[in-house]
Amino acid sequence: MRAGAVTAAATLMMLMSSPAMALVRDDGDDPGAGLSVGQTLGLFVALPIVSFLVIAGLCMIPGRKK
């Protein structure tokens, strides 16, 4: 019971301090320019769908030859 309480308290403290740690820039942190809406949709929507379709197509090729 004590171990669970210590774990819960430590987790809560880490969760509460993580936003404060995000405000401090690390050495060498040099973020680039932001992505446009089109680039974001292409990178996070279109690219995974195209990758899935290519992999699915490659997996279906051996079955269609029979």
Side-chain angles (χ1 to χ4, degrees):
M1 182 111 150
R2 185 181 304 167
V6 169
T7 303
T11 302
L12 183 63
M13 290 298 170
M14 282 194 287
L15 287 174
M16 288 183 356
S17 68
S18 62
M21 301 291 258
L23 295 176
V24 179
R25 302 291 281 232
D26 290 335
D27 290 339
D29 188 13
D30 188 19
L35 297 174
S36 69
V37 174
Q39 290 173 328
T40 303
L41 289 175
L43 186 63
F44 294 108
V45 177
L47 188 64
I49 291 173
V50 169
S51 299
F52 172 78
L53 292 175
V54 168
I55 293 170
L58 290 172
C59 291
M60 289 170 40
I61 288 174
R64 291 188 177 220
K65 286 187 176 179
K66 290 182 180 180

